[in-house]
Each structure stands twice: as structure tokens, then as C-alpha cells.
Amino acid sequence: MANDLGQLEASVDGLTMNVDEDPPSTGSSSAPIDAADFEEMWGFSVNEMYKLALQFYKEMEGKVVHLSYKDKLKLVAYCKQVSHGRYDPTSSPPVGVLDVIGNDRRKEWQGLGDMDRDSAKQAFCSLLDKRCPTLKPWIEAHKREKDEQERKRREEEERQRREAEEREREIMEENARKQAEEERIRQEQQRLQIKQMLDQQTYPQFAQYAAQHYPNSPEQQQTLIKQLQDNYFTQYMQQVYQQQLQAQQQLAGMNGQVQQPNDNQQSAQQGQQQQETPSLPVPTPKPEEIAAVVVNGGGDKQNHQEGGEQPLSNNTAEQGEQSPKKEQKSQDGEDAAEESFPPIANASMWTRPQIKEFKDQLRKDTESVIKVGRGETVTVRVPTHEEGTCLFWEFATDYYDIGFGLYFEWSIAPSNAISVHISESSDEEDELEDEEGERGDLERGRKDDRPPTDEIIPVYRRDCHEEVYAGSHVYPGRGVYLLKFDNSYSLFRSKSLYYRVYYTR
């Protein structure tokens, strides 16, 4: 400020006094206005406008600014009033008698009296605006520049804010990915540990089993052992998930929060059983619980696959659907309490190409070969064994395919004997039983005594004349498995069926 004031005083000192040529000046006659109104009028605060006016005068004086001697005296007086306040002769340096310009400046300053600093700044800007018409366009240019700088500043702040949010989001996503990857690695390690533990415990039994079927082929023995171990691991993990699901349902039932899952939730849970590992430690089975016990021969396990079959007629559900259908009992027009059964896990199915060896082996046992007539359906009833935990089956045919499906009947068989039932058509048999049951209920007041049945695998046509079809299923409880071999769609051809079933404990 002192530098600007000195430059202003120096410009006044170089003037030639010619008062008559001065234009009329309104000087300090302009009354100061409110600071807010001043800022609205100029676009700058009083302090900012005063600094800009001084800068304008310093840069443009002698070029586009040509002021009179009196106006310059007033500008110097306003600057001194802003810098030092009211004139004080005791603190001001003395001025010589012959210093005309100094005495004029002193008088002009003294004439401002008690004007405050903001009023002096406004008076300086107002006088310079009246005497210099180019001041306002110059200020407007600075206003646009200021607005542009403010816009850029806001944009920069917004950009920095977005970048900070993006960095924070990326950090959170990276942490989530790391946690998910660590959890996946932990679960995979747990699955490998469980599988290694099960493989070590089941190897002696499976090796003995493979040696019986391929005594002269070590490579086929190792392949069979690996397939058996993989299949047992899958069945074991399904059983673990089933137990965990039952425990969660019991816990939710005790808390009064039991919720029935819909079809999508059930299918999602079933799909996750093959992909996820349990988060809780899994108990290790004892070796004696894994020994294979052959009920009706033995078999190999190769080439695991599911799907690709063509559906049969109306007695099958749509492909891929496996929704259990529980039958309900009624007596004397009153609804009986619906029985509750544990959930049933999905079955596993696979194929293997050694169909010729399989059929040659089973031809030695006449009970393992069945002729399924044209239009007939054969149902093989296999009761669950007290010492078993999992059912296995294998079957093949000559020349043509046949339909196959698996059901579970919630009943207790009087013995463990396997029985075979032949009917003309599964549809006709079901319809006849339904009509007899309805007639008995209405006319004789009897109740439908058929046990409830769950559909595990719907009936589909299987190309079992090209490969051996095999599968397994973990016992859901005590009951009877129904293996249905459906030839009802064939009107002219009978089928030779080779099959065997066995269980493990």
C-alpha cells in the first residue's frame, strides 16, 4: 500500500499546477453505500475493488488515464486516509513553506476529517470511475476472469472429490476381492484336506474292490479307485450339507423363525452343494463305515455325466425339474397331520463305455437280466439296508434305449429282499390306483394307504444300449427305492435289461 501511495504521490509531484483547466469534480460528494450493495454493483468486495482500482491507476496512468491536478490530490488523500486514518499533525512529518504540492496534499487529506477506511476506498473507486470510463470494462474483464477461476476451482474440487471417492471405492472393492479370494482359498484348502483324508481312509477298501474286477489291469484299477473316491467325496459332502441344513432348520424352528424356501432357493442351495465347502469342521468317518457291500453284483464308475436325455411321455416331468411330490393322507373327511420328512439330496449319475464286459458279466446271473416287454414298465423295489448309507445302481440294454427314473417310497419293507414288478404302463397303473382310491373313499369310506413317495430322478430315455449308465444316492432315511425302467413308449420292441444294485456303509 505504501508503494502504491508513493507512486501516486510521485505522479502528482510531476504535475504542473493549472487549476483553471481542472474539470468540475464531485470528489467526496458521493455518499458511501452499503458493502453488500457495493459488491453487487461491482462484483467485488470493497477491499478487492480498491486493490484493483490502484492496480488500474498504476498500469494505465499516462496511457488511458489522464487526471487533473485536483483529482490526483483527492486520490492521494483517499490513499493516505486508507493507510493512516484521520490526519494527525503530531505524527505527520513537517512540510516546508515552499512545498506547494505537499501543502495541497496535506490540506486535501485534512479535509477528509473522520472518514473511515471503507468509505475512503469507495470514494477512491468512485472518483476513478467518474474520471476514467475505461475502468468499468477493465473491472468487468477481471470479474469474468475471477468467475472463470472460481469455476475451474469448483471443477477441480469436484474432480478431486470424485477421484477420492473412486480411490476409496477401488480400495473397498480390492479389499472385498482379497477377502473373497482368501475365503475361496481357505475353503478350497479345507475341501482338499477333507478329500485327502477320505481318500486315505477309503483307499484300502476301494483298492480291494477294484482288484476284484480288474485283477490284471493296474491302470483300470487306479482309474476305478479315483472315480469311486471322487463319487464318495461328492456323496459325503452332500450328506454334510444336508445335516447342516437340518441343524439350521431346527435352530430356526426353536426361534420361531421357520421359513419354507421357494423353488429358486432350493435349487440354489442344491447348486451350491457342488461348489462350496462347509464353513464348519467336518467330522471324519470311521474306516469301517466305508466298506462296500455288494448286494447284487459290483460295478465300475467312469465318465461322470448328467443330462442329454430325451423325456418320455406324460408320466415324466419337464427336463431338469426334480421337485418332490409328497402325497397327503385323509380319513373320514378330516385332514390328517402332514408327515414331515427330511430333505432329499440330489442323485449322481455317470456313464462308462465298457458295456460289453458289463453285459457278459451279468449274463452269468439270470436274476440280473430282465426282459421288458413292449409297452411295459418294470419297477425294481430295493429296500434300504440297516447297515447302508448309499445306494448304487448300474444298467444297460441291447440295441435300443429305455426310460429310467428313481423314486423313494417312505415305507418300511418287511425284508431286505429286492423285488421286481411289471406293469403294462406306469400311467395306467397310477390312474387305476387313483380311481380305486377315490371310489373307496367315497363309497366305502376307506383311506388311501399308499405310502408317500418322492421323485428323485424323473423318467427320461437313456441311451444305455451305447454305454453303461450308473448312479448313486445317499439314503434320506428308511424306505424303499423304486427303480423304474419304462418301455411304455415302445409299441413294437421289447428290451433286454441288464442291471445290478448295491449299497455302501
Side-chain angles (χ1 to χ4, degrees), residues 188-231:
E188 186 64 24
Q189 291 176 349
Q190 189 177 19
R191 283 177 62 89
L192 292 177
Q193 291 175 359
I194 296 173
K195 192 174 188 308
Q196 291 174 358
M197 179 173 55
L198 293 177
D199 290 348
Q200 292 176 359
Q201 294 179 348
T202 58
Y203 184 82
Q205 289 79 14
F206 290 154
Q208 182 180 3
Y209 178 78
Q212 294 176 358
H213 291 80
Y214 299 105
N216 300 323
S217 179
E219 293 182 357
Q220 291 184 345
Q221 290 180 15
Q222 293 301 322
T223 302
L224 176 58
I225 291 172
K226 184 178 185 304
Q227 292 294 332
L228 289 172
Q229 288 177 335
D230 292 344
N231 183 68

Side-chain angles (χ1 to χ4, degrees), residues 489-503:
Y489 59 90
S490 180
L491 303 179
F492 304 103
R493 295 189 181 93
S494 300
K495 312 291 175 62
S496 295
L497 173 67
Y498 304 81
Y499 82 99
R500 58 184 168 192
V501 291
Y502 51 96
Y503 66 91

Side-chain angles (χ1 to χ4, degrees), residues 51 88 96 103 118 139 157 201 249 321 330 333 341 345 365 372 399 413 415 442 451 469:
K51 292 178 181 179
D88 185 5
N103 286 316
D118 286 345
I139 294 296
E157 290 179 354
Q201 294 179 348
Q249 289 178 347
E321 293 185 358
S330 60
F341 300 98
D365 184 6
V372 184
Y399 309 117
S415 66
L442 295 176
Y469 272 70

Side-chain angles (χ1 to χ4, degrees), residues 36 47 65 107 141 149 276 280 293 325 335 340 392 420 430 454 465-466 488 495:
N47 292 331
V65 177
K107 291 178 182 178
Q149 291 176 354
E276 300 179 355
L280 299 176
V293 181
K325 302 176 181 178
D335 295 334
S340 61
F392 289 82
V420 178
D430 294 339
D454 279 340
H465 61 292
E466 299 176 353
S488 60
K495 312 291 175 62

